Amino acid sequence: MTVLVSRKYRFPASHRLHSALLSEEENRATYGKCNNPHGHGHDYEVEITVRGAVDEVTGRAVDLAALDRLAEEQILKPLRYRNLNEEVPSFQGVVPTTENLAAELDRRLRAGWGGVFCAGGPVYEKLRIWETERNICEILSAPTATRVGEAPIQEDNG
Ligand code: NI
């Protein structure tokens, strides 16, 4: 039996929505109060969803302690209490919108996945991030798709 298991995490961080490609006026029109020069904070929530087969002995599809370690190392520790614009190198020149933050978390998770879960183990399925209760972004993991800025991933013919 294969199931989807989700686990939620939280981390506070601050940001300012401002694009270097737009004028001051265009930035204010695009981002409104989120363009405030001094930034503002969010208590971000992240939900990681894993697809896995339920182990007959343990009754579990994923080692949650291992998932917690991965989330802590790849996402929570590097981003917790950070100013995303100024302290996180990936947001140099990239606007830290919920969409771009989701893409960054997705990249970090995929980069660390193989170091924690072995081949044949649980697969990273998707992540969702809540910036606020009403502002949510979801990314579906697509390991065989080519993403912007990444080399194509070879299909496993095994
Ligand atoms: Ni914001």
Side-chain angles (χ1 to χ4, degrees):
M1 178 176 64
T2 298
V3 296
L4 298 178
V5 176
S6 297
R7 193 150 167 92
K8 277 177 132 178
Y9 302 93
R10 296 180 96 97
F11 67 95
S14 66
H15 70 169
R16 179 195 185 198
L17 301 186
H18 183 92
S19 171
L21 303 175
L22 298 173
S23 69
E24 294 295 326
E25 194 181 327
E26 288 169 328
N27 268 295
R28 278 194 295 276
T30 302
Y31 301 118
K33 63 186 182 189
C34 298
N35 183 237
N36 172 356
H38 302 291
H40 59 274
H42 291 287
D43 197 13
Y44 289 101
E45 269 192 87
V46 186
E47 180 186 79
I48 299 169
T49 300
V50 170
R51 177 188 296 271
V54 178
D55 184 271
E56 286 182 16
V57 174
T58 64
R60 304 185 88 177
V62 57
D63 177 348
L64 293 177
L67 186 60
D68 288 353
R69 281 199 303 278
L70 176 65
E72 178 66 25
E73 286 303 312
Q74 293 293 323
I75 293 176
L76 305 174
K77 196 161 76 182
L79 301 182
R80 189 185 279 131
Y81 297 114
R82 296 293 176 188
N83 178 312
L84 299 177
N85 304 71
E86 292 175 19
E87 295 181 273
V88 180
S90 2
F91 292 113
Q92 298 295 310
V94 173
V95 187
T97 56
T98 318
E99 294 89 329
N100 283 336
L101 183 55
E104 172 65 11
L105 301 191
D106 176 69
R107 189 187 67 72
R108 287 169 178 263
L109 266 187
R110 294 191 304 122
W113 199 267
V116 173
F117 296 110
C118 55
V123 173
Y124 165 44
E125 180 82 7
K126 67 174 182 177
L127 76 76
R128 297 173 84 192
I129 179 164
W130 285 254
E131 186 185 74
T132 67
E133 262 180 45
R134 299 174 65 205
N135 189 9
I136 304 153
C137 184
E138 177 167 322
I139 289 195
L140 303 178
S141 178
T144 57
T146 303
R147 295 177 186 227
V148 176
E150 288 183 359
I153 294 167
Q154 297 299 314
E155 290 269 4
D156 182 3
N157 297 316

